[in-house]
Amino acid sequence: MIALIMLLSLFEIVISQNQSYDPETIQVLQLLYQDGHVVIDNGIFQLTLSNPEGFVTGVRYNGIENVLAYTGHENDRGYWDLVWNFPGKKTKKTKGTLDRIEATKMEVITQNDEQIEISFSRTWNASSNVTVPVNIDKRFVVLRNSSGFYTYAIFERLQGWPAVEIDNIRLAIKLDKDKFDYMAISDERQRYMPLPDDRIPPRGKPLAYPEAVQLLDPVEPEFKGDVDDKYEYSMESKDIKVHGWISTNDSVGFWQITPSNEFRSAGPLKQFLGSHVGPTNLAIFHSTHYVGEDLIMKFEEGEAWKKVFGPVFIYLNSFPKEVDPLLLWLEAKNQTKIEEEKWPYNFTNSSDFPASDQRGHVSGRLLVRDRYISSEDIPANGSCLGLAAPGDVGAWQREYKGYQFWSKADEEGYFCINNVRSGRYNLYAFAPGFIGDYHNETVIDISPGSNICLGELVYEPPRDGPTLWEIGVPDRTAAEFYIPDPNPMFVNKLYVNSSENKYRQYGLWERYSELYPDEDMVYDVDVDDYSKDWFYMQVTRKLDDGGYNGTTWEIKFQFDDQMENLTGDFKLRIALATSNVAELQVRVNNVSVDPPLFTTGQIGKDNTIARHGIHGLYWLYSVDVPASSLCPGNNSIYLTQPLAISPFQGFMYDYIRLEYPDSVNHIT
């Protein structure tokens, strides 16, 4: 405790030394024009942008002439880009057309003693068939006495424009690899990182897919044998608040701070890339990762659309050389809190980004009603509630054209969603411990200054009868199940002693065949423990000839003799945390009966298995199990995944429950 107090005291001193500027000693905010560039200088740092393209070509800070990558072309240092296609043009050999969004016009939007905002825009030319039919305006803002710059972009399609598909929208910044050697994306996930050179053969060996590389002969011997894969560093949208890099020799930090995720696609659980070997710093606003084809942005012929992505804050900090440079992470977290308190920013000079007084607020209370658990409504403690475009149940996880605003309920189920843009929304929610999604079909109209109280809302999760047995915890992930140790030949040392992130290790899909070499998993609900005996993903089995087989899991349970006269249907609830090119077939007490009692057909292209995830899209199924198909004594339910051309096909289960018929309402 004493050591912690001393550390915090030192931290406060360092912050005060590092962040207190004497206004009289700071240069006036300046905008300078150079050959093919504009430079914004506020005396703390200097930002250089190419003119008129709008690429970030230089950031001078704390005696470092340029913290960005110095090799290659200058337009490869900091840039907005996207991947797009005209419908039907994509082939299996390409992911689409990469557009680095090279602007054609530079305009000074604001220039005064307190701030400079510059626009780099490009207007779509209707005669062009090689550029995405979207007008794009990239903005950069520097404030006086600010140690960093803000950037955002306005995307707009006008009526009558051709159909188009967009896969990815992002901001990428590449740092000097000889300086920035330490990456931090959370309190638990930070480490010294290998070099990009270590990934290139013969220093590195590609594994099952190009992103995963084993480091055979890295420049720094400490990384020898490690697996490096950018997907090992992905994060859920709700957790991407600050991430970046530290130059430990210079005691300089470079961070991306995201005060709000309102502009990201697919809600708070959508997973995105952030920082990874490069050293690379990404702000990904839209991608198909961990969802697949459902999140390709598809615009129909003539469809108009406008959306603002950002702002995000690119923040730089530094400490005196005698201070531990890794403490820069803590200072960056402190700055993140400051930026969150300032959101929505009031300094952006665009009518497309409304300030706080032009937004609305929604509040209420969410209760859960499950009479087989409690005779009273249960406060939805810790539930996530969000406003997103009107749609069906769970539509928010596939929504990408609008904005989403999410909040977390307190212990009593009360919630408040603040700073909501004007528009029409539905209220969505999901509550830990309960299956399914809450959806309020009432269209909520938000206007500037509106303050809407929804009162008490009640979610009745799917339930037909008392629970006979259950496997797992309904939390939309497979994290509670058995996650094996990785093959010691293929590890990322960051996660060796991390129980919470164990699933991020490479190659865990291969461990299933090693643990079950001859027969598939059998789980007895009366004996087994799902945290030890339920493998966290149902994947294909690798054969000796290099091919794959589908797998069938068996759930064994006892049926009491006194229930043999039951009629009606039992209900089998199956919640999937992810699916990738897979099919779930359900059979009862006969593993070979055809057709099965239930099948999903082929579902999902989440690719979560290969990308070290623990969830993708959420799927919920309810299967009627006739009482006549069960018998007194031993019974089995078989879960078959028959599709097998890849090691990455399969499911992760969230939760499984078998319910008695409703007539057995006396059982609790």
Side-chain angles (χ1 to χ4, degrees), residues 527-547:
V527 176
D528 292 328
D529 179 346
Y530 60 75
S531 67
K532 299 176 182 178
D533 303 305
W534 185 277
F535 199 81
Y536 82 109
M537 53 181 166
Q538 183 173 358
V539 290
T540 55
R541 180 190 305 283
K542 188 174 183 179
L543 303 176
D544 293 338
D545 63 4

Side-chain angles (χ1 to χ4, degrees), residues 274-347:
S275 291
H276 58 77
V277 160
T280 300
N281 184 279
L282 299 174
I284 297 189
F285 304 102
H286 173 79
S287 79
T288 59
H289 294 150
Y290 300 95
V291 175
E293 193 173 289
D294 286 348
L295 268 190
I296 295 175
M297 300 180 79
K298 297 179 180 179
F299 297 95
E300 298 178 358
E301 185 87 18
E303 182 179 357
W305 170 73
K306 179 183 281 191
K307 188 171 183 178
V308 176
F309 296 99
V312 297
F313 183 39
I314 304 302
Y315 177 63
L316 297 105
N317 60 357
S318 62
F319 282 163
K321 291 293 182 69
E322 62 271 17
V323 177
D324 182 357
L326 303 189
L327 291 176
L328 289 165
W329 162 253
L330 298 180
E331 200 282 318
K333 285 176 56 179
N334 183 67
Q335 185 63 38
T336 301
K337 294 178 181 178
I338 295 173
E339 298 299 322
E340 288 178 318
E341 291 173 358
K342 291 162 56 178
W343 186 271
Y345 297 132
N346 60 8
F347 52 77

Side-chain angles (χ1 to χ4, degrees), residues 630-655:
L630 302 175
C631 60
N634 297 327
N635 289 269
S636 291
I637 288 178
Y638 298 97
L639 306 176
T640 297
Q641 199 297 104
L643 308 181
I645 60 173
S646 155
F648 307 124
Q649 289 176 274
F651 307 108
M652 293 181 192
Y653 294 91
D654 168 40
Y655 176 74

Side-chain angles (χ1 to χ4, degrees), residues 59 74 138 143-144 154 241 376 511 530 534 539 553 614 651:
V59 177
E74 69 170 19
K138 302 180 293 185
L143 305 181
R144 184 173 180 264
I154 305 165
K241 298 178 181 291
E376 298 181 355
R511 305 300 276 170
Y530 60 75
W534 185 277
V539 290
W553 289 7
I614 202 66
F651 307 108

Side-chain angles (χ1 to χ4, degrees), residues 271 290 578 580 606-616 652:
Q271 294 157 97
Y290 300 95
T578 188
N580 188 56
D606 298 8
N607 213 10
T608 301
I609 295 168
R611 288 174 172 164
H612 323 292
I614 202 66
H615 70 85
M652 293 181 192

Side-chain angles (χ1 to χ4, degrees), residues 376-599:
E376 298 181 355
D377 292 344
I378 306 166
N381 178 18
S383 59
C384 289
L385 299 103
L387 296 172
D392 297 327
V393 175
W396 57 269
Q397 65 175 346
R398 292 177 172 85
E399 198 279 322
Y400 48 74
K401 292 180 182 178
Y403 303 90
Q404 296 195 23
F405 304 86
W406 289 82
S407 181
K408 197 170 185 177
D410 65 16
E411 294 180 354
E412 296 300 319
Y414 291 99
F415 66 91
C416 187
I417 306 173
N418 296 319
N419 295 313
V420 182
R421 285 170 165 264
S422 295
R424 304 173 76 249
Y425 302 91
N426 279 170
L427 180 71
Y428 302 87
F430 53 91
F434 299 93
I435 60 174
D437 287 82
Y438 173 78
H439 176 221
N440 192 315
E441 296 181 353
T442 302
V443 174
I444 301 173
D445 281 303
I446 300 295
S447 58
S450 61
N451 193 346
I452 299 173
C453 180
L454 300 176
E456 287 195 348
L457 308 170
V458 177
Y459 171 48
E460 297 188 48
R463 167 78 79 170
D464 280 16
T467 299
L468 174 58
W469 51 258
E470 59 186 348
I471 302 172
V473 178
D475 60 0
R476 307 177 86 93
T477 83
E480 68 270 23
F481 298 121
Y482 174 68
I483 300 173
D485 292 328
N487 185 327
M489 295 291 292
F490 303 101
V491 299
N492 184 322
K493 294 186 182 70
L494 175 60
Y495 303 125
V496 167
N497 296 313
S498 174
S499 59
E500 289 186 3
N501 292 285
K502 193 175 182 180
Y503 63 87
R504 298 186 188 276
Q505 294 283 16
Y506 172 84
L508 297 184
W509 55 87
E510 296 181 345
R511 305 300 276 170
Y512 176 76
S513 297
E514 297 169 3
L515 289 169
Y516 300 92
D518 302 314
E519 297 180 351
D520 283 323
M521 189 190 78
V522 178
Y523 185 88
D524 189 327
V525 298
D526 295 319
V527 176
D528 292 328
D529 179 346
Y530 60 75
S531 67
K532 299 176 182 178
D533 303 305
W534 185 277
F535 199 81
Y536 82 109
M537 53 181 166
Q538 183 173 358
V539 290
T540 55
R541 180 190 305 283
K542 188 174 183 179
L543 303 176
D544 293 338
D545 63 4
Y548 299 91
N549 267 350
T551 54
T552 296
W553 289 7
E554 180 182 3
I555 303 174
K556 299 172 66 175
F557 61 98
Q558 295 286 320
F559 194 53
D560 198 315
D561 290 349
Q562 66 178 335
M563 296 299 177
E564 63 180 311
N565 295 321
L566 278 178
T567 59
D569 291 334
F570 287 68
K571 189 75 74 172
L572 180 66
R573 310 283 185 187
I574 301 177
L576 299 177
T578 188
S579 176
N580 188 56
V581 194
E583 177 185 358
L584 175 61
Q585 298 176 352
V586 178
R587 294 174 173 87
V588 179
N589 285 332
N590 187 338
V591 70
S592 58
V593 66
D594 194 27
L597 176 65
F598 171 82
T599 179

